[in-house]
């Protein structure tokens, strides 16, 4: 069936370093991918998204890369800060189906 | 602008009890959905709605009912609570799902069933 999964359940990085969080998806029909950040006690918050007709999209300190050949998605965070400590989820959907499927999440811990 | 509001924040039920988790949004979003979040399993879709009067099942719908009588509200009902339904529940909404229209989440309801 459809699934979205993460390679690394936990990730620790030094403050100021770059972080890379990876995600594998299995539904080749998915055409929209999103990264969310969830802080403790809160609901997930949108970070960045990408359509399947793109392979890269940049935000303020974040970049999402999409490799459709191997069905892989990654989130890169530049100059990681303590405020980036959170759980990060990737999500996929095929827009005509209206079902947003989330991966299990990666916990990012920033070491001061 | 309140966004997505969920009530209650915490709830303890005994097995077999029923309850309704409330969700309201003030953004005039057509799309609303319910997820449950369990450790190590991410967010799993329970039910969703693409507009008033329309609902559909997600990945884990058993044991839950929903209705969508208005655009603003999307309550989730547990008819006979079971310990397996102990979880954190999130409601989310968006404009009819499209690029640049991601989900907006509430802050969750933490439910314990004993």
């Amino acid at each position: 069936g459809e699934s979205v999964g993460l390679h690394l359940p936990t990730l620790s990085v030094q403050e100021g370093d770059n972080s890379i969080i990876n995600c594998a998806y299995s539904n080749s029909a998915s055409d929209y991918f999103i990264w969310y950040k969830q802080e403790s006690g809160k609901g997930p918050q949108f970070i960045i998204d990408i359509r399947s007709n793109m392979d890269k999209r940049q935000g303020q300190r974040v970049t999402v890369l999409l490799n459709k050949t191997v069905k892989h998605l990654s989130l890169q965070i530049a100059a990681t800060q303590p405020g980036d400590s959170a759980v990060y989820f990737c999500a996929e959907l095929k827009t005509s189906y209206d079902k947003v499927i989330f991966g299990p999440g990666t916990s990012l811990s920033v070491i001061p | 602008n309140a966004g997505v509001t969920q009530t209650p924040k915490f709830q303890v039920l005994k097995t077999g009890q029923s309850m309704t988790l409330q969700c309201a949004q003030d953004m005039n979003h057509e799309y609303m959905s319910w997820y449950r979040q369990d450790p190590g399993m991410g967010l799993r879709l329970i039910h969703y709605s693409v507009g008033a009067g329309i609902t559909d099942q997600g990945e884990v719908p058993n044991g839950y009912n929903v209705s969508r009588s208005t655009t603003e509200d999307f309550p989730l009902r547990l008819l006979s609570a079971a310990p397996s339904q102990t979880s954190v529940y999130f409601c989310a909404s968006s404009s009819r799902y499209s690029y640049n229209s991601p989900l907006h989440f509430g802050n969750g309801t933490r439910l314990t069933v004993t």
Side-chain angles (χ1 to χ4, degrees), chain A residues 32 36 38 57 98 100, chain B residues 31 35 37 96-97 99 103:
Chain A
Y32 181 39
Y36 288 89
Q38 185 178 27
R57 190 157 189 243
D98 290 313
V100 183
Chain B
Y31 183 92
Y35 288 85
Q37 184 173 32
R96 183 59 188 272
Y97 222 101
Y99 186 61
L103 290 169

Side-chain angles (χ1 to χ4, degrees), chain A residues 13-31:
Chain A
V13 297
Q14 288 290 141
E15 181 178 357
D17 287 351
N18 296 334
S19 303
I20 299 176
I21 301 171
N22 295 304
C23 175
Y25 65 94
S26 61
N27 185 1
S28 57
S30 293
D31 55 8

Side-chain angles (χ1 to χ4, degrees), chain A residues 4-8 21-25 33-35 65 70-75 89-92 102-104 106:
Chain A
V4 177
L6 291 167
H7 296 306
L8 295 173
I21 301 171
N22 295 304
C23 175
Y25 65 94
F33 303 89
I34 317 102
W35 281 100
L65 299 177
V70 295
K71 288 184 279 189
H72 184 267
L73 192 68
S74 69
L75 176 70
F89 293 95
C90 64
E92 63 168 325
F102 284 78
T106 290

Side-chain angles (χ1 to χ4, degrees), chain B residues 66-78:
Chain B
V66 292
S67 59
R68 185 92 180 272
S69 57
T70 66
T71 299
E72 294 78 20
D73 300 299
F74 191 44
L76 178 72
R77 296 186 192 84
L78 285 70

Side-chain angles (χ1 to χ4, degrees), chain A residues 43-44, chain B residues 3-7 21-25 27 31-37 43 45-47 66 68 71-76 88-94 103-109:
Chain B
V4 178
T5 302
Q6 290 184 239
T7 56
L21 280 64
Q22 302 292 344
C23 175
Q25 53 92 8
M27 297 172 282
Y31 183 92
M32 296 186 75
S33 55
W34 277 101
Y35 288 85
R36 60 177 289 173
Q37 184 173 32
L43 292 138
L45 181 64
I46 304 172
H47 286 286
V66 292
R68 185 92 180 272
T71 299
E72 294 78 20
D73 300 299
F74 191 44
L76 178 72
V88 181
Y89 292 85
F90 287 99
C91 179
S93 72
S94 72
L103 290 169
H104 297 257
F105 283 85
N107 282 328
T109 294

